Amino acid sequence: MAINPDYLGREYPAPETYEVTRGKIREFAEAINDLNPVYLDQASAKAMGYPDVIAPPTFPVILGMAGSALAIADPELGVDFSRVVHGDQSFHYSRPLHAGDVLTTLTRITDIKALGGNELLTLETVAEAADGQHVVTAGMMLVVRGS
């Protein structure tokens, strides 16, 4: 089943805000084995000019999970998740994420195309702080392998 090209531009807002906490940042940093003190220690982060511990650069992967899951689970989009592999990831920051951020996220399908017998689905998740300011945009491209 081909990915439905009519879904290009479709948006999937996360059902709730995401609160960035010191604990979540610590767990992520430990999971990726990056124990930079600005991720783990508030005093170290403040000494570097941050308001609190900051999240590792790849942390926004988590922010896109809710919207991406909604998109992929949409049966009319036509993604066979058993054939999906991760193709690419990107992050574009306005400022670092830090503990205490409460973020609203919106995931949008930004590209659908066929390439070499596979299909490529690109999703973009925009995260904004409680004051409406852009924090980060996370892009993710999935490859749906052909048969």
Side-chain angles (χ1 to χ4, degrees):
M1 178 176 186
I3 297 175
N4 185 345
D6 294 337
Y7 273 54
L8 184 63
R10 183 149 310 185
E11 297 180 339
Y12 299 87
E16 58 189 27
T17 58
Y18 184 91
E19 183 176 354
V20 181
T21 66
R22 288 184 196 130
K24 289 177 184 175
I25 291 171
R26 175 178 290 281
E27 288 171 359
F28 190 87
E30 289 173 349
I32 64 170
N33 198 30
D34 188 346
L35 305 181
N36 186 323
V38 297
Y39 306 150
L40 307 173
D41 179 63
Q42 187 180 28
S44 295
K46 286 188 174 197
M48 295 297 293
Y50 300 111
D52 206 322
V53 295
I54 62 170
T58 55
F59 186 89
V61 151
I62 295 169
L63 304 177
M65 293 175 84
S68 298
L70 290 171
I72 292 166
D74 188 333
E76 293 186 27
L77 177 58
V79 173
D80 178 355
F81 195 70
S82 70
R83 306 194 69 74
V84 169
V85 294
H86 189 263
D88 192 27
Q89 192 77 47
S90 64
F91 306 98
H92 302 280
Y93 281 89
S94 293
R95 66 161 174 82
L97 286 167
H98 59 77
D101 276 331
V102 178
L103 305 168
T104 302
T105 61
L106 176 72
T107 300
R108 177 180 301 111
I109 297 174
T110 59
D111 197 20
I112 299 170
K113 65 182 172 185
L115 182 65
N118 299 312
E119 292 181 287
L120 309 179
L121 175 67
T122 304
L123 303 160
E124 177 181 272
T125 299
V126 177
E128 294 181 345
D131 63 4
Q133 295 296 310
H134 175 268
V135 178
V136 63
T137 299
M140 173 178 58
M141 189 263 291
L142 302 174
V143 178
V144 183
R145 296 172 291 126
S147 51

